[in-house]
Structure formats: C-alpha cells, structure tokens
Amino acid sequence: MTLLKHREWLDSAAVQRAFDVLEQDGDVARAVGGTVRNSLLGEVVDDVDIACTALPDMVLERAQAAGVKAVPTGIDHGTVTLVIDHHPVEVTCLREDVETHGRHATVKFGRDWTKDAQRRDFTMNAIYVDRHGELFDPLNGLEDCLNRHLRFIGDARARIQEDYLRILRFFRFFAVYGHGGINADGYAACVELKDGLAHLSKERINKEILRMLCAPRALDALRLMEQGGILSLVLGEKANSTRLKRLLELSELPEAASQPVLRLGGVAGPEVTKHLRLSNVQQKQIKGAAKISEALQNEGCGEAALKALVVAHGKEAVMDGLLTAWMNEVIEQEPKLHSMLRLVEDWEVPQFPLTGKMMIADGIPEGPQMGASLRLARELWAAADYKCTAETLMERVRAELASRMNES
C-alpha cells in the first residue's frame, strides 16, 4: 500500500507518459529523491526526477520514437530531460561511484538500484516509487523520512568527502525538514571537515545559504553552524545568528522579513558581499539596507529623517533598512519599529513640484547654479514636510538665494 500523501504529480498524464517511454524491453523506472520525499511528507512537489535502468542513448532513442522532446541536459552524467505537455521530467540512468573528487564523481552506469541509492546523500533522499505508487526503500530511509530525521547514507565523513557541498545541504535540509535534534554523527562530520568548504564555488554556497535562510528552522541551523565554526567560514567573521533571532521574535513579522537576501544582509552585514558571489541586485539590496540602518543610527529615527530616506531611496529599500536596523538593535523597541514601518507603508510620497524647465523660466541658468538651486529646493521642500506648491517653493528658493547673496 502506498504511503504517498500527495500523488497528483505521479498520476499526471505527463509523468505516466514518461514511464511509458522509459519502461520498454524490460527496463524499470522509478521516481526518486525530493519528488518522493516531499510526496511522503505532504510537501509541495516542484520537480519530478526519475531513475531508470535504460542508458541515456536509449532514453533519447525511445523519446524520439514516441515523439517526445528530449534534451541531453547532462548526458555525460546520464541525465536526459523529457519535456511532455510543457512539463520537464528529469531522467537519470542508474549510477554507482567509481571515484570521487570532493565535488564531482566519476560514475559508471548500471542496473543495481541499491548501488544507485548508496551514492546519494541522505537516507530520506534514497527512496524510490514506481508508476503505481509502490515504494522501493533499499536503505531503509522511509522511517527517517517520515520522522523527519536527517541522516547521511552510510559513513557521514565519506559522503561529505564525495562533495563538500553536502555540509551546507545537511544544514539546509535540517532547516527545511528536520524535527527534533540534529543527527550527532552527521553534525560532528560536518564540523570536522568544514575546511573542505574552501573547495566550493561561491555560487554553489549562495544557493544553499539563501534557501536555508527562509526555511522553518533557519535559526536552529544557523546556530549549529555558528557553534561549529562553519557560519564564519562561509559568511565572514561578523556573521551572527542572534540578529536573525531578533527578527524572528517580532510579534508581527512583516512580509519583507521573509526575504532571504534581507536576512543574509542582517545576519552577516554588507561585508558578506566579499564572501559570496551575489548578483548586482542582491548586493545593492544588502548594501542599501545597511546604509539606511547606519543613517537611522546617525540621524535618529524621527518622522522627518524617515520621510527623507523614503524620498531618497524608495519604500522597499527603507523597509529593508528598518528591519536591518532592528536586527542591528539600532531600533530597540518593537512598537517603535512597527510605527515606522506603518509610516513608510502608508505615506504617499509626493512628487517633487519643480523641474529644470521651470527654474530656467524663472531665470536660473543651466549648469552649476541650476544644480545648486535644485538641491536647495529639495532641502526647502523637505523642511516644509513636502507640501509646497511649485510657486511657493520657487518663491522660497529665490528668497534664500537673495539672502545668501546679501550675506556674501
């Protein structure tokens, strides 16, 4: 009897068609990995991965014969993606490791399901299901999966040395799926072998960290990484899990607080951009939030200062800055934070009433004088709580300029 809680993906026409293509001439196909794990746990199934005894060339040949689009996405490693009714199904030939290199392994294709399972990372990821929903569990991972107990397959140290990214995957999977305490043997192996993280690309580290930071047990995972000396290795010496704790303890968690990039910047500060290869947009978000947090610390958290920041940087950036300021304890009282967040959200930012053409028409020449006059106009506009009309503001600019000329 099947234990799958969600099997809509399995019963879909696209996936059943994939089984039709693959299971010919005695070959066997089974879904595996996150597809099965999430289905057992009642979680969302985003992608469908199928393991198959057929060799990659045979998968391509059968797909062509059936009129199914097949893309050799990783054919050297035995992977072909079938595209059926616009749904991708990733198919990988059964494999076993011949030699491992700390990141990539030399593999050979085979027909042994147990050996294919043994080369995977965690027991909960080594459960298979056939097209009818019947489970195949060669490594007894079902109990671990249903109990949400994260455990490496076999010797944890050996699994990590096959690919050091598994250290970060261990903490990310714990943050997403784990119940109870972390597996002691797996944790000890991660701490012991943490220097192997230096062999990983920054892009691979980015992906795991950002996915972990928005998981249900992100804080627990961060604390464990911190205690084991792993957090500082990947995010820098200034990384501190207490900042995320402060964010998550808010009685009302704003929607912006769920952003992984915001959490990353709050935990590790703008210096994290030196340790990870983030996109320009991500770097800008982190550095901008830190800059606004610093401005609030230096200029105070009053309404005028807050409105000036919104005018200069926009609402989203200031919301990020406020939450970063909260994590940095620049803002100490929660009611004050929520009051500031509401002001930013509710305040209709007015449009600056003057244009360069208006000022030229008023006799101010283009060039340095125009630039200085516009800056003065914006200062006067802010001092009037952004409520001046163009005519009133122009009058004040003329009066201020005349006053300065008389003083000089």
Side-chain angles (χ1 to χ4, degrees):
M1 182 176 68
T2 182
L3 295 173
L4 300 181
K5 293 184 179 179
H6 292 311
R7 54 174 294 160
E8 296 85 357
W9 62 271
L10 181 60
D11 296 327
S12 70
V15 171
Q16 287 297 315
R17 177 68 169 146
F19 278 110
D20 289 339
V21 170
L22 298 171
E23 294 194 319
Q24 301 181 44
D25 301 326
D27 280 317
V28 177
R30 292 181 171 117
V32 68
T35 308
V36 181
R37 177 197 66 234
N38 283 17
S39 193
L40 286 166
L41 294 175
E43 305 277 354
V44 175
V45 175
D46 293 316
D47 304 303
V48 177
D49 296 322
I50 294 179
C52 182
T53 55
L55 294 174
D57 288 343
M58 181 57 69
V59 173
L60 290 172
E61 182 180 321
R62 288 173 180 168
Q64 183 178 14
V68 170
K69 180 180 179 181
V71 184
T73 43
I75 197 163
D76 291 341
H77 300 285
T79 301
V80 173
T81 299
L82 303 181
V83 183
I84 304 173
D85 298 334
H86 307 290
H87 296 288
V89 178
E90 190 169 279
V91 179
T92 303
C93 176
L94 297 193
R95 297 174 291 182
E96 59 183 275
D97 289 333
V98 176
E99 183 181 0
T100 58
H101 317 286
R103 177 176 176 181
H104 298 297
T106 301
V107 300
K108 69 177 182 180
F109 305 135
R111 300 180 68 85
D112 190 318
W113 289 91
T114 300
K115 287 183 178 179
D116 183 77
Q118 287 171 337
R119 69 176 303 278
R120 297 177 183 274
D121 48 12
F122 310 119
T123 55
M124 65 169 57
N125 289 338
I127 307 169
Y128 303 77
V129 67
D130 68 15
R131 68 185 305 166
H132 306 294
E134 294 304 312
L135 298 178
F136 176 66
D137 182 21
L139 304 182
N140 300 313
L142 179 60
E143 184 177 355
D144 284 339
C145 182
L146 295 179
N147 291 326
R148 294 178 177 265
H149 178 63
L150 183 65
R151 183 166 60 89
F152 281 103
I153 291 170
D155 180 64
R157 288 153 187 81
R159 295 291 79 73
I160 290 170
Q161 287 170 330
E162 290 165 358
D163 185 352
Y164 289 105
L165 188 70
R166 286 175 173 172
I167 293 174
L168 299 182
R169 282 174 61 82
F170 182 70
F171 291 104
R172 197 250 297 177
F173 271 68
F174 175 72
V176 175
Y177 301 106
H179 278 184
I182 200 163
N183 179 269
D185 183 62
Y187 180 65
C190 288
V191 173
E192 177 187 332
L193 299 173
K194 62 180 180 289
D195 289 343
L197 292 167
H199 299 292
L200 301 176
S201 70
K202 292 180 178 179
E203 289 86 352
R204 296 182 88 204
I205 294 174
N206 286 0
K207 184 177 179 180
E208 293 299 326
I209 293 294
L210 289 173
R211 292 175 74 180
M212 183 187 70
L213 282 170
C214 50
R217 297 190 68 183
L219 179 58
D220 293 333
L222 276 189
R223 282 172 164 169
L224 288 163
M225 291 173 67
E226 194 169 44
Q227 292 166 13
I230 296 170
L231 192 66
S232 59
L233 279 181
V234 293
L235 300 185
E237 293 294 334
K238 293 188 178 181
N240 188 332
S241 66
T242 303
R243 299 189 190 116
L244 181 60
K245 177 177 181 290
R246 185 168 164 80
L247 180 70
L248 295 178
E249 285 178 342
L250 288 171
S251 59
E252 299 176 45
L253 202 62
E255 185 177 347
S258 64
Q259 301 174 83
V261 175
L262 169 78
R263 294 184 177 192
L264 176 64
V267 167
E271 295 82 3
V272 74
T273 57
K274 301 174 184 176
H275 298 277
L276 301 179
R277 187 156 292 131
L278 300 166
S279 70
N280 290 336
V281 171
Q282 291 169 334
Q283 291 187 52
K284 182 179 178 182
Q285 182 178 357
I286 289 172
K287 291 178 179 179
K291 183 177 179 181
I292 290 168
S293 174
E294 184 179 356
L296 289 168
Q297 185 171 27
N298 294 336
E299 300 167 18
C301 300
E303 182 176 321
L306 194 54
K307 286 183 175 180
L309 287 170
V310 173
V311 171
H313 302 284
K315 288 192 174 190
E316 288 186 8
V318 175
M319 296 282 272
D320 286 352
L322 286 171
L323 292 170
T324 301
W326 172 257
M327 287 188 274
N328 290 333
E329 299 187 67
V330 172
I331 302 170
E332 297 181 353
Q333 301 299 321
E334 183 172 347
K336 175 66 173 176
L337 171 67
H338 287 301
S339 173
M340 297 174 77
L341 289 169
R342 282 194 297 272
L343 188 152
V344 171
E345 186 174 3
D346 296 342
W347 186 48
E348 290 293 333
V349 184
Q351 184 175 354
F352 182 59
L354 291 179
T355 65
K357 288 183 179 180
M358 290 179 184
M359 300 190 84
I360 291 172
D362 208 74
I364 297 175
E366 293 184 76
Q369 190 174 342
M370 170 69 73
S373 298
L374 279 171
R375 286 192 294 274
L376 172 60
R378 288 189 175 276
E379 291 172 8
L380 295 170
W381 185 51
D385 197 24
Y386 310 96
K387 295 176 181 177
C388 283
T389 63
E391 293 77 10
T392 301
L393 186 56
M394 199 64 242
E395 287 176 8
R396 294 181 182 182
V397 169
R398 284 195 298 267
E400 181 64 25
L401 290 174
S403 175
R404 292 182 182 183
M405 288 183 63
N406 292 332
E407 289 177 0
S408 61

